[in-house]
Structure formats: C-alpha cells, structure tokens
Amino acid sequence: MARINSQLPVLTFGRASLTGAACFERWRNILSIVFDVEPDHREDVDSFTGSMTTYHLGGLLLSDTAGSAVRFRRSGATIARSAIEHYLVQVYLEGGYAGSVGGREVEMRAGDVCVLDLTRPLSTRADTFRNITIVVPRDSLAPLVKSPDTLHGTILPGASAVGSLLGDHLRTLCDRLPDMTEREARAVAGGTAGLVAACLGSTIDAHEPPRAELHAAMLARIKRFIDERLDSPDLDADTICRTFGLSRSSLYRLFDPLGGVAAHIRERRLSRAFADLVTPQPGRTRVIDIALHRGFGSEASFSRAFRAIYGLTPGEARAIADGMRRLLAPADSGDADSVLQRWMHSLYPARTAGGA
C-alpha cells in the first residue's frame, strides 16, 4: 500500500499482507520499474515472502527491501520500459548475489556495498536477502566522480574502510528516516550523494596509476568535447587528436577502460537517441530523424547499433515507453508500483553539502 506519514512520503509493502504466489506477484510488480524478477525455482513461489519500505527524500529514494531467493535481470527492454538513468547504491544486510553485471562476473556478500547503473544490463541470482538501497539521480553523482561510466558493478567490500563507512551510513539513515522532517531529509540527501562519491572516488583512485590525475583530467575534457558534438557526423578519433594535440595511441590508451573511443562515442550517441525515442522531441518524431540528428548515417546502421546495445529495435523501445506512459497516465493511482514509478521519474539532483 502507499501512504504518507507525518514526516516523509513512504511506500510500504509488508510480509504480512500477502503470502506465497500472491505475495511474489505483488512484490515483483512493485520492483518492475527497476528489474525483471523471477523466482530462483518455480516451485519456490508458493513459499515466497517479501517486503519493501521506500522513503522519498526529494533528491533520493531509500528502500529497505527483503525477499526469498530470486533472479534479477535488467535487459534492453527493461531499460526502455523504465526510461530512468539513476544509480542504485546498495548494502546487503543479509544474503548477497552473484552474476553478470555489465558483462563482468561479480559476487556480492552481506556487508558489501555495490553500485548499479540503470542504463546498463545485468543478470544476477540473489539468495534470501535483505538490503538497503538508495536511488541516486545520475546528475547528482556523475559530476562528483572521475569515471561515472565505469561505476556499474563496483563493489566496496564490507571489510574495507570506505565500504564499512558507506554501509554504516546507509544503515543509520534507514533507521533514522522515520523521525526526519522533509527539510532534514533533503539536506541529508545532498550529503549522502557527496559521501557516496567520496567513497567511490577513493576506491577508484587506489587502482589508478601514478599519472591518474592528469589522465583523468584529460579524459574528462575529451568526454565533455564529445558530448557537446555528438550531433556532428565528423566527430571521430582524428578530430579529437587534432583538437587536443594527442597521438592516436595516447587517445586509445585513455579510452581503453571505456572500451575504446569509437565505442564511447557510439554509446553516447545511442544514449541520446534512446532519450529521444522514449521522450519524443519536436522535429525528431521519426526514427530516421533521430538517427540522422544523432550522427548515424542511415536508419539501418542506427538500428543495428541500437539492437546490439539494448537488445531491441528503436521502434520496440518507443512502443515499450509509450505503453508505460499509458499505464502511468491515471494520476490518482495509489498502487505502490504506480507510485514508485512516478517517484523514480520525479527525483531531482540532490545538492551536496555546502552547495548553493
């Protein structure tokens, strides 16, 4: 059910409300904005238990979620359906998961903290678990870290200093939220985004070579240059090398962690095109218009690249997003899944502590 307490907006779905298959279906529907969920074994549905309590802090969502063993998946169709670009930061209080996150194998244990990028795919299996998750808008976290495109699947071990610090913060925040006012929660949201960035930054820095600061600064400049010129069909490695006075080998080394400069440009163009498809812009209503505007030479080449990344055609992505908008149209719906979907789309960038 959805309710508003005297302090903060909160959604609750409790273990006692439903049991077995009915509980699983309701719990899965609530989570569908983020994941496709299946039971670990079909016969386990009849004994499934699950719960979730989610608070809206203005710039963040915080959710305390528990459930029996399940499989989580975020495919191209899920990404299209949800049309959200946030990060999830999770600490597992019980259980954990293992699987493929953005193409790499990861294993999460109780006490660890992980980061998931909702623009990227994953497929994992979770044991019976309980976790605390914060949903952080991309515009709140990405500007605070050096490599926002490489955060997907990052795990901070619970035994590490930064993992323990961030995990303890999320636990304490979850415990204290019921007593907070909305004003207090908004302030905490900004501070939390800053703390997440600080903990992730120290971890990323620890694995970088001595010249990391110079490389990171140059990479950030080039990525801004690319984002400002994504619509240009002339944007390529040669243009970047001439602009920044780099050799091809130096440019390729900088972008190697991102899969290469050509792949990064293509993925950024596809990300912009994805946004155009799910939120149509004036003058760019046809797929061919979007393809040409985003620097692709033809609709066919755009469709091939789009399918390779998202696993569906541009038309299918648009149809899924259109269908989701129709489902969300009734503004007076109080169902927890509909409310959570609206909350996901309502988040604004959290101001960091000391921000304007």
Side-chain angles (χ1 to χ4, degrees):
M1 63 176 291
R3 66 181 176 86
I4 305 296
N5 73 357
S6 59
Q7 302 291 319
L8 291 175
V10 58
L11 302 176
T12 58
F13 175 77
R15 291 177 184 267
S17 12
L18 293 170
T19 58
C23 177
F24 174 74
E25 290 301 324
R26 192 75 185 93
W27 188 82
R28 177 169 64 177
N29 288 342
I30 295 171
L31 289 178
S32 64
I33 183 67
V34 182
F35 299 116
D36 296 320
V37 185
E38 294 297 336
D40 190 32
H41 300 289
R42 176 54 57 184
E43 60 270 21
D44 294 341
V45 169
D46 291 337
S47 59
F48 182 86
T49 61
S51 64
M52 186 175 70
T53 299
T54 303
Y55 294 91
H56 198 314
L57 285 67
L60 299 175
L61 300 183
L62 182 145
S63 182
D64 182 349
T65 305
S68 302
V70 292
R71 295 182 181 273
F72 292 108
R73 187 165 179 260
R74 189 162 174 84
S75 64
T78 322
I79 295 169
R81 185 181 70 237
S82 60
I84 49 179
E85 297 186 340
H86 308 320
Y87 293 101
L88 302 187
V89 181
Q90 300 179 317
V91 58
Y92 269 68
L93 308 183
E94 301 171 14
Y97 69 76
S100 174
V101 180
R104 58 175 168 165
E105 295 300 313
V106 301
E107 185 174 358
M108 179 84 170
R109 297 181 175 89
D112 293 347
V113 178
C114 69
V115 182
L116 301 175
D117 182 340
L118 294 184
T119 68
R120 306 284 302 282
L122 63 82
S123 178
T124 62
R125 176 196 175 276
D127 298 318
T128 296
F129 73 94
R130 180 186 170 202
N131 67 38
I132 296 171
T133 300
I134 57 171
V135 183
V136 187
R138 195 173 206 86
D139 290 344
S140 292
L141 184 57
L144 304 180
V145 296
K146 291 180 181 178
S147 305
D149 297 329
T150 63
L151 294 181
H152 192 46
T154 298
I155 293 179
L156 307 180
S160 68
V162 290
S164 175
L165 174 65
L166 188 51
D168 286 346
H169 175 75
L170 296 183
R171 292 184 190 92
T172 302
L173 182 57
C174 185
D175 289 341
R176 300 299 183 189
L177 273 179
D179 300 321
M180 285 188 183
T181 64
E182 290 193 38
R183 183 175 181 178
E184 291 169 339
R186 286 195 298 270
V188 168
T192 297
L195 178 61
V196 170
C199 291
L200 290 173
S202 64
T203 301
I204 293 169
D205 291 348
H207 294 88
E208 291 182 342
R211 293 177 59 83
E213 290 290 339
L214 292 176
H215 289 176
M218 177 61 76
L219 182 60
R221 288 178 59 203
I222 296 174
K223 286 169 68 178
R224 285 195 297 271
F225 176 84
I226 289 171
D227 277 352
E228 290 167 359
R229 292 161 178 80
L230 285 174
D231 299 346
S232 172
D234 299 325
L235 178 63
D236 57 17
D238 289 337
T239 300
I240 296 170
C241 287
R242 287 195 304 271
T243 302
F244 291 90
L246 294 171
S247 66
R248 274 180 167 267
S249 59
S250 295
L251 179 65
Y252 292 162
R253 281 195 298 272
L254 277 174
F255 276 85
D256 185 62
L258 302 181
V261 63
H264 177 73
I265 292 172
R266 184 173 59 253
E267 289 182 7
R268 293 301 298 146
R269 282 174 165 163
L270 287 169
S271 177
R272 294 283 182 87
F274 195 114
D276 287 345
L277 286 164
V278 300
T279 309
Q281 303 298 312
R284 298 200 296 275
T285 56
R286 299 183 304 167
V287 172
I288 182 60
D289 297 330
I290 294 172
L292 296 177
H293 181 76
R294 294 306 179 188
F296 290 88
S298 68
E299 183 174 346
S301 63
F302 169 60
S303 295
R304 284 194 300 270
F306 192 93
R307 179 186 281 276
I309 293 293
Y310 297 109
L312 65 167
T313 68
E316 289 169 341
R318 170 171 280 172
I320 291 170
D322 288 345
M324 182 54 61
R325 274 193 293 271
R326 286 192 293 272
L327 286 175
L328 291 176
D332 59 348
S333 173
D335 289 345
D337 46 351
S338 296
V339 174
L340 185 60
Q341 288 161 355
R342 292 200 296 274
W343 280 11
M344 281 284 189
H345 289 282
S346 73
L347 291 180
Y348 54 80
R351 294 178 177 176
T352 57

